[in-house]
Amino acid sequence: MIYKILNKGAFSMLEVMLEQGETIKAESGAMVAMSETFDIEGKLEGGLGKALARSFLSGEKMFFQTITASRGNGTILLAPGVLGDIQAIELNGEDYIIQKDGYFASTANIEVSTKVQGLIKGLFSGEGFFLLKAGGTGLLFVSSFGNIHELELKENEKMIIDNHHLVAWKSDMNYRIKKASKSVWSSLTSGEMLVTEFVGPGKVYIQSRNPSIMMANSGA
């Protein structure tokens, strides 16, 4: 499978070239255009039980698009539902945790499921008690609000990240939710209430824009 990320940035689109018999899956509604040799269908990832868990627990859509080059080679164009970037992550048997609405597409053998957070993390992370987990061997594509930037933390290196800017991170990384400042007044006046502290080694992907600020400014 060959891919390109077109117009990288706020208006990115994923172009995937599939050979006959190859398959890619994506979030529902992602297809923009495809070759006439392709077939597209909606599928419940992992069966009804896991699909219901993703929908009701993590707020993700129940169905994925599955696109197969059934009758010959061709090209498909996929785009996320919001303005933002697309990032490819190559998985070699490891798992990544993905924020709500962060999963965009993947090769067919990447399994997507839900992961339970602890009580404190679930209450204060802004993402709830359930997040998405993607694992296996293949390509994972995540999407964001704004541009995506990769942070690679070394052994025991710490990085503090605003919760609303998180996109994805390696599942074996240690992280904790904490106050942005020692005092409540400083947290309120700085606009940074709760943050997540990650400890390396591992990769964390962040987005350049904060969706909660956009919603507040639009009156939503």
Side-chain angles (χ1 to χ4, degrees):
M1 190 189 78
I2 301 172
Y3 74 90
K4 293 180 183 177
I5 298 176
L6 308 176
N7 311 315
K8 192 162 177 61
F11 302 98
S12 58
M13 186 161 55
L14 178 65
E15 179 184 66
V16 181
M17 287 72 80
L18 298 178
E19 294 185 355
Q20 185 169 357
E22 287 188 318
T23 296
I24 188 170
K25 61 186 177 185
E27 64 176 350
S28 180
M31 196 277 288
V32 176
M34 67 180 184
S35 299
E36 58 86 23
T37 54
F38 287 9
D39 287 322
I40 184 169
E41 58 181 322
K43 285 190 175 181
L44 293 167
E45 173 77 8
L48 180 60
K50 290 185 178 180
L52 286 170
R54 282 196 314 275
S55 178
F56 290 105
L57 300 180
S58 63
E60 290 291 322
K61 296 174 182 176
M62 287 181 60
F63 290 89
F64 287 164
Q65 292 181 342
T66 300
I67 304 102
T68 304
S70 305
R71 295 175 300 283
N73 302 350
T75 301
I76 184 166
L77 293 169
L78 303 167
V82 298
L83 297 179
D85 208 353
I86 298 169
Q87 175 74 40
I89 304 174
E90 186 171 351
L91 302 185
N92 294 295
E94 69 267 48
D95 297 329
Y96 267 80
I97 306 303
I98 309 171
Q99 61 129 355
K100 183 182 177 183
D101 299 323
Y103 174 84
F104 177 56
S106 63
T107 48
N109 51 341
I110 297 298
E111 182 180 355
V112 182
S113 58
T114 52
K115 174 182 172 59
V116 182
Q117 292 198 100
L119 178 62
I120 300 301
K121 291 176 180 176
L123 283 172
F124 298 110
S125 67
E127 297 295 332
F129 293 101
F130 300 91
L131 296 168
L132 285 187
K133 181 174 75 171
T137 301
L139 283 170
L140 166 68
F141 298 93
V142 294
S143 61
S144 68
F145 182 53
N147 286 42
I148 294 179
H149 180 67
E150 177 189 304
L151 298 171
E152 184 160 8
L153 277 61
K154 299 176 182 178
E155 185 78 31
N156 295 322
E157 181 182 2
K158 295 181 180 180
M159 183 67 71
I160 295 171
I161 302 170
D162 183 295
N163 296 342
H164 296 291
H165 287 270
L166 284 169
V167 176
W169 61 92
K170 283 195 69 176
S171 65
D172 58 357
M173 293 185 72
N174 291 321
Y175 68 99
R176 67 187 181 104
I177 308 297
K178 57 182 286 185
K179 292 188 301 180
S181 177
K182 293 181 179 180
S183 73
V184 175
W185 175 251
S186 291
S187 294
L188 287 170
T189 55
S190 68
E192 302 289 346
M193 290 295 293
L194 294 169
V195 294
T196 301
E197 181 183 76
F198 285 88
V199 182
K203 291 183 179 180
V204 182
Y205 293 89
I206 58 175
Q207 59 191 10
S208 62
R209 295 293 178 264
N210 183 337
S212 67
I213 291 177
M214 181 199 71
M215 293 176 64
N217 291 339
S218 65

